[in-house]
Amino acid sequence: MAKTKGRVTLPSEGGFLNETKEIMERWGADALRDSDGTKLPEEIKSLDAAIYTTYFVARGHNEFAEKHMEECQQLYLMSKRVTAVEEQVEISFMDGYFHQQVKPDYYHDCKKWWEVIDRTLGEVVLASDWELDQKRNIVTIRNGKPFHEYTVSFLVYAIWDPTQMYNHITNQWGDRPHEIPFDVRQPCSWKFAKDYLVQWLKENPRTDVVRFTTFFYHFTLVFNEQAKEKFVDWFGYGATVSVKALEEFEQEYGYRLRPEDIVDNGYYNSTFRIPSKHYLDYMDFIQRFVAKKAGELIKLVHEEDREAMMFLGDNWIGTEPYGPYFPEIGLDAVVGSVGGGATLRLISDIPGVRYTEGRFLPYFFPDTFYPGNNPCLEAEENWLCARRAMMRKPLDRIGYGGYLSLACKFPEFVDYIEQVTDEFRELYENIGGSKPYCGLTVGILNCWGKLRSWQAFMVAHALWYQQTYSYFGVLEALSGAAVNVVFLSFEDIRKKGSLDGIDVLINAGAAGTAFSGGEEWLDETVLTEIRRFVYNGGGFVGVGEPSAIHSGGRFFQLADVLGVDKELGFSLSTDRYWKQEKPGHFLKEDENRGFSFGEGMKDIYSLSEETEIAVYSQGSVQLSANPYGKGRGVYIAGLPYSHENTRLLLRSLYYSAGREADLKLWFAENLWCEVHAYPEKGLYAVVNNSKDPQETIVYDGFGNPETIFMKGKEILWKEMNSKTTK
C-alpha cells in the first residue's frame, strides 16, 4: 500500500514536538488538536497542519461562573422513594446524589417550582402540607397517608460539569478546579459567552478549526454519593431545565410544565420511554433555542475566517443533527466518537455539513494505555467493525484523542494505526462521495423516526447493555449492509405515502418502549397502513416484541402478518400444534454454528400451519416467516451483532420482500466477507471482515460466481466491466 497523507487528526501536547513530527509523518496527519486537559504550545501550532482548538462555551470559565452562581445550569431530580409509616414523614432528598456535582436551588421559590408526590395515588401533595429544612436538605410531609410512597421532585444547580468530572477522576487531576457550567439562557451568561468568543478568536489567530465541545447543555449525567454514575441518558434533556426556561416555555406554549414532565416517575424521559406531547414540545422548544444561539456563535467564527466544528457528545443536547433546526446552526463539520458501525453511520450520514470526522477508539487515556495492556486489540476491533459501515458511507476524516505521549509508549500500537490511516485514505480515495449499490430500501420504525437516525437502543454512547444488545445488533448489521436505510416514526406512517419506496419495514424492541412502540400500535391507521403495505408485496421484519401491546386478544398487534404471537398466560387452555421446523429454509442457508438470539424470547407460538418455523427451541418459536398476501412477515426473537446474524438479517430482508432471487448480486458466499459495488466509480470491493484468511465465492452484478482467496482483514478492489454489472 502506497504511503499517503491527509484526512487524519492527531492529538498533541506540550513538550512533545519531535515525537509529534514523527507520528505526523507516519500516520500522514494533516491536522493537530488539543484534548480536554491539554493545550498546544506555539511550537506545535507552527507545524504544517491545520490546528483544531477545543472550545467550551458554557464551562471552563470559573472566574465568571463563581460571580453568577444563580445562572448555573439546573436539573430536576427526584428523591428516593420513602414509605410513610405515620402521617408525618421526612424525605432527605439529596441522599444518593454527589454533593460536589449538584446542590439544591434555594434561590427560587421551592413551593412554586418543586413538587411532592404521593406515588401510591399518583397525586401531588399540597404545598401547604410540606415544609423544607434548607440546613438539613429535608422535606417534611404532614397529613401523609401511612404506607404510601412519597417522593420530592426538586431543582438543583449543577456546580461541576460531568465530563470534566469524569476526566478529572479518570486522569487523577488532583486539585485542578472543578469547572462550573453556566446557562446561556441567562442574560449575563449569554453576554459573557459572546464577548469571550470574540476576544478568544483574536487571541488565538493560529486556530483554524474551532472545535465546539459542544455548545450549551450536557446530556443527562448525574453521579451518586460515591462519584459514580447514577443516571446517564445520552439523549437526555435534564440539564436544559431552568426556571427561566420554564417561564418562557409557558409564555410561548400557553401551558405550564410540571416537574413531573421532566422527572417522569424517575425515568427522566429516557430515550426508551414513549415521549409525551409535553416532552416533545419541550424538546422542540430547546432545539430552536440552541439552534438560534449556536448559530450566532458560528457566525462570529465565520466572520474571522475560521471553521466551526461540533463534537457530537458532551454538551450536544438540542443540536439534533437529524432534526429540523440543525441546518440553521451553519456548522462546517461534525466530529464524534466511533464505537462501531452504527455510531460511524450516525456521524457519516449527518446532512448539511461540509465534512464529518470520527474519533476512533481507544482514547489515549491511562485506563487503556497502561503497562501490560495491549491497546491494539481494542483498536483493531474498533476499526474492523467501523470499516464495514465505512464501506457504505465513509467519514471524510478520522482521528484520535487523548495524550499522544501515552500512545507513543506502545510501538506496536503506533505501527498498527499507521496501517489504519493508510487504509482509510485508500478507501476514501476509491469511494468518497459516491453512492454504493443498494439491493433494498429498509425502513426502521419506532417512536423517534428520523430524529434518532442510527441512535436506537443506546443508553450511553455505544455501550453494551444486556437489555439492548439483542436489538442493537439490527442497527450494527445494517450499518455495513448493501441496503439503503431510512428511519420512520409512527407519525410518518399516519401520513399517506410514507412507505412509498420502502421494500421492508423493521420494528424491533421490547414491549412498551419507544422502539417497539407501545400504545402507538392501538392506532387503526398505523395497523391498516402496514398491513396494506405487506399485503401488496412489502416485507415486515419483527425482532423481539414487535407491535406489542395487549389488546383485542393479541399481544403482537401484527400477529396476522408475522404468523406468531406471544403467550401471556391468558390462553393456556388453547392447544398449540404447530411446532415443527421447516427443513432447508431459505433463512437458514448460511447457518453454521447455530444462530444466537441473544436474550431471546419465551412463549412465542405459531398461529397456524402456514407459519414457516425455521428455528424452534425451548418451547418457543425463535425464527419464522409467514406469507401475507404478496408479501411476508419474518419474526426473529433477538439479533445480537455477529457476522452470522448479519447474514440472517440480510436473508430475512430479501425473503420478506419476496426478492430471494436478487440476494446473490454483489454477494459473497462466505459470511465473513462482503461485497460493495460503486457503479459511479466503476469499482467494487471484496472485504474480509475477519482477521483470518478466507476463501469465498463472489457473485457480481449479473450473479456470475468467482472464487477468491483473501488475506486476513484484506480489501480487494476490482474494476467493473460489462461482464460484471448490468
Side-chain angles (χ1 to χ4, degrees):
M1 186 183 302
K3 190 67 183 174
T4 56
K5 181 179 179 180
R7 300 193 178 277
V8 173
T9 304
L10 182 71
S12 189
E13 56 196 280
F16 215 64
L17 177 62
N18 292 331
E19 296 89 340
T20 298
K21 290 180 179 179
E22 178 186 350
I23 300 300
M24 280 184 66
E25 180 65 27
R26 293 187 60 182
W27 293 2
D30 60 344
L32 295 170
R33 59 162 293 205
D34 56 6
S35 296
D36 194 359
T38 70
K39 291 187 179 296
L40 298 184
E42 289 303 317
E43 60 182 6
I44 296 286
K45 292 181 180 180
S46 66
L47 295 176
D48 183 20
I51 300 300
Y52 292 17
T53 304
T54 300
Y55 189 85
F56 300 108
V57 176
R59 57 172 270 214
H61 303 287
N62 284 9
E63 71 286 352
F64 166 80
E66 288 172 352
K67 297 176 183 177
H68 300 83
M69 295 300 288
E70 76 284 357
E71 293 196 1
C72 286
Q73 293 184 12
Q74 295 191 271
L75 301 96
Y76 264 121
L77 300 178
M78 192 181 87
S79 71
K80 293 179 179 178
R81 294 169 184 260
V82 174
T83 302
V85 295
E86 52 188 23
E87 289 187 355
Q88 182 167 305
V89 57
E90 290 188 348
I91 301 178
S92 181
F93 51 85
M94 282 292 289
D95 280 1
Y97 293 103
F98 189 50
H99 290 229
Q100 292 184 49
Q101 187 199 7
V102 296
K103 70 174 185 178
D105 171 14
Y106 295 142
Y107 183 82
H108 298 97
D109 184 354
C110 299
K111 290 280 188 172
K112 179 178 181 180
W113 297 106
W114 295 22
E115 204 167 55
V116 178
I117 297 181
D118 181 332
R119 292 289 172 185
T120 302
L121 292 176
E123 295 178 354
V124 177
V125 176
L126 294 175
S128 58
D129 282 341
W130 59 269
E131 295 297 334
L132 173 65
D133 184 338
Q134 296 186 11
K135 292 182 179 179
R136 296 193 299 149
N137 294 331
I138 285 177
V139 162
T140 301
I141 302 170
R142 297 184 301 271
N143 302 320
K145 293 180 171 59
F147 301 101
H148 282 215
E149 279 192 324
Y150 291 90
T151 64
V152 179
S153 301
F154 59 104
L155 274 172
V156 297
Y157 281 115
I159 56 175
W160 194 357
D161 177 85
T163 290
Q164 202 248 357
M165 175 182 166
Y166 168 81
N167 289 337
H168 199 291
I169 294 170
T170 300
N171 297 312
Q172 301 174 357
W173 286 348
D175 57 0
R176 182 179 296 188
H178 298 178
E179 295 183 356
I180 304 169
F182 50 90
D183 186 358
V184 298
R185 189 179 289 274
Q186 309 296 337
C188 294
S189 294
W190 177 236
K191 183 178 186 304
F192 173 82
K194 288 195 300 182
D195 292 348
Y196 188 88
L197 178 58
V198 170
Q199 185 63 30
W200 184 91
L201 289 167
K202 292 178 180 177
E203 294 173 354
N204 290 269
R206 188 62 184 86
T207 295
D208 301 296
V209 180
V210 181
R211 182 186 182 271
F212 287 93
T213 312
T214 306
F215 288 108
F216 313 132
Y217 302 116
H218 203 285
F219 60 85
T220 310
L221 177 55
V222 180
F223 291 82
N224 66 16
E225 68 276 14
Q226 297 176 332
K228 296 181 179 179
E229 290 182 1
K230 180 182 179 73
F231 180 86
V232 55
D233 179 10
W234 202 61
F235 308 92
Y237 275 60
T240 68
V241 174
S242 67
V243 168
K244 185 173 175 59
L246 295 172
E247 289 175 336
E248 292 178 355
F249 178 92
E250 182 179 5
Q251 183 178 7
E252 181 174 342
Y253 283 80
Y255 71 90
R256 181 176 175 178
L257 291 172
R258 290 176 51 202
E260 185 64 12
D261 290 320
I262 307 300
V263 166
D264 181 32
N265 289 287
Y267 297 120
Y268 298 100
N269 294 290
S270 90
T271 191
F272 288 79
R273 293 279 281 167
I274 296 170
S276 67
K277 181 183 183 303
H278 287 186
Y279 189 62
L280 289 174
D281 283 349
Y282 182 70
M283 288 178 61
D284 192 74
F285 170 74
I286 295 296
Q287 289 167 25
R288 285 186 287 109
F289 172 80
V290 168
K292 180 178 183 298
K293 295 296 186 182
E296 291 183 39
L297 298 185
I298 300 309
K299 184 178 179 181
L300 295 175
V301 172
H302 287 164
E303 287 174 353
E304 294 295 321
D305 294 323
R306 320 290 180 84
E307 291 185 2
M309 170 183 280
M310 179 188 92
F311 176 62
L312 191 65
D314 294 8
N315 296 60
W316 79 290
I317 295 303
T319 60
E320 306 294 348
Y322 296 93
Y325 311 111
F326 180 74
E328 298 175 13
I329 299 175
L331 286 159
D332 298 289
V334 174
V335 60
S337 180
V338 176
T343 50
L344 185 138
R345 290 293 296 273
L346 163 60
I347 303 164
S348 67
D349 280 14
I350 291 174
V353 292
R354 291 196 295 109
Y355 63 96
T356 58
E357 182 168 333
R359 194 70 66 243
F360 279 72
L361 300 179
Y363 278 90
F364 305 163
F365 281 172
D367 56 347
T368 299
F369 290 83
Y370 59 86
N373 193 37
N374 183 2
C376 286
L377 298 178
E378 183 179 353
E380 187 174 53
E381 181 181 357
N382 183 241
W383 174 248
L384 287 179
C385 195
R387 191 181 69 172
R388 279 193 69 242
M390 195 92 75
M391 301 302 297
R392 306 308 301 170
K393 181 64 182 292
L395 296 160
D396 298 299
R397 300 182 58 85
I398 66 173
Y400 294 87
Y403 303 103
L404 188 61
S405 57
L406 279 178
C408 285
K409 295 177 181 178
F410 294 78
E412 184 180 346
F413 177 81
V414 173
D415 292 343
Y416 178 68
I417 301 304
E418 184 175 0
Q419 299 172 30
V420 166
T421 53
D422 282 336
E423 184 172 65
F424 165 68
R425 283 185 286 266
E426 180 184 36
L427 184 157
Y428 191 89
E429 180 66 26
N430 285 339
I431 67 175
S434 65
K435 184 178 180 180
Y437 163 80
C438 295
L440 297 169
T441 294
V442 179
I444 306 291
L445 174 64
N446 58 48
C447 289
W448 296 108
K450 181 181 178 182
L451 188 70
R452 293 278 180 259
S453 296
W454 297 109
Q455 298 162 67
F457 315 114
M458 292 184 189
V459 180
H461 186 264
L463 295 186
W464 184 94
Y465 282 81
Q466 183 174 351
Q467 292 81 6
T468 64
Y469 77 98
S470 302
Y471 305 121
F472 187 74
V474 174
L475 293 186
E476 196 64 34
L478 289 174
S479 70
V483 297
N484 182 39
V485 182
V486 297
F487 294 83
L488 301 170
S489 69
F490 289 94
E491 187 60 34
D492 292 329
I493 299 296
R494 284 186 273 269
K495 300 173 184 176
K496 289 186 177 180
S498 64
L499 293 174
D500 293 349
I502 302 292
D503 297 301
V504 183
L505 199 61
I506 296 177
N507 179 237
T513 65
F515 304 115
S516 176
E519 292 183 359
E520 292 283 8
W521 290 107
L522 299 179
D523 189 314
E524 175 264 345
T525 300
V526 169
L527 290 172
T528 55
E529 284 301 308
I530 294 176
R531 284 173 176 148
R532 182 181 293 111
F533 164 74
V534 181
Y535 190 83
N536 289 331
F540 184 84
V541 175
V543 182
E545 294 178 309
S547 73
I549 186 170
H550 185 225
S551 178
R554 294 285 198 211
F555 187 55
F556 294 170
Q557 294 304 303
L558 290 179
D560 57 327
V561 174
L562 292 166
V564 297
D565 202 356
K566 184 173 183 177
E567 176 60 66
L568 300 180
F570 303 139
S571 57
L572 294 177
S573 301
T574 302
D575 291 325
R576 308 266 161 65
Y577 299 103
W578 305 289
K579 303 176 182 179
Q580 188 67 36
E581 292 184 2
K582 182 177 181 179
H585 200 283
F586 176 83
L587 297 178
K588 295 177 63 177
E589 287 183 14
D590 288 311
E591 184 181 21
N592 184 12
R593 298 164 294 182
F595 299 116
S596 169
F597 299 106
E599 298 302 297
M601 281 290 147
K602 294 182 178 179
D603 304 318
I604 305 297
Y605 64 89
S606 173
L607 293 180
S608 74
E609 66 276 8
E610 289 190 353
T611 304
E612 303 163 2
I613 301 176
V615 177
Y616 188 92
S617 66
Q618 298 181 321
S620 184
V621 176
Q622 304 293 328
L623 176 65
S624 64
N626 183 62
Y628 193 82
K630 296 179 182 178
R632 293 187 181 109
V634 170
Y635 175 76
I636 308 173
L639 198 89
Y641 176 65
S642 69
H643 294 282
E644 196 158 39
N645 278 357
T646 296
R647 186 60 58 84
L648 169 60
L649 180 60
L650 192 65
R651 285 188 169 275
S652 299
L653 297 175
Y654 275 90
Y655 191 70
S656 65
R659 298 267 299 277
E660 303 96 303
D662 295 335
L663 176 65
K664 291 187 177 180
L665 300 178
W666 302 120
F667 181 82
E669 288 277 11
N670 185 329
L671 57 84
W672 288 99
C673 302
E674 289 178 306
V675 182
H676 303 276
Y678 310 95
E680 297 169 4
K681 295 282 189 173
L683 291 173
Y684 66 99
V686 185
V687 183
N688 180 1
N689 292 313
S690 79
K691 301 175 186 179
D692 302 316
Q694 300 289 341
E695 176 184 348
T696 184
I697 297 174
V698 170
Y699 296 88
D700 63 19
F702 285 105
N704 300 315
E706 176 188 5
T707 300
I708 291 179
F709 299 89
M710 304 188 72
K711 301 175 184 176
K713 302 179 287 186
E714 185 177 16
I715 300 178
L716 287 176
W717 296 95
K718 291 176 169 287
E719 292 186 0
M720 292 180 177
N721 55 54
S722 59
K723 296 180 180 180
T724 61
T725 186
K726 296 179 182 179

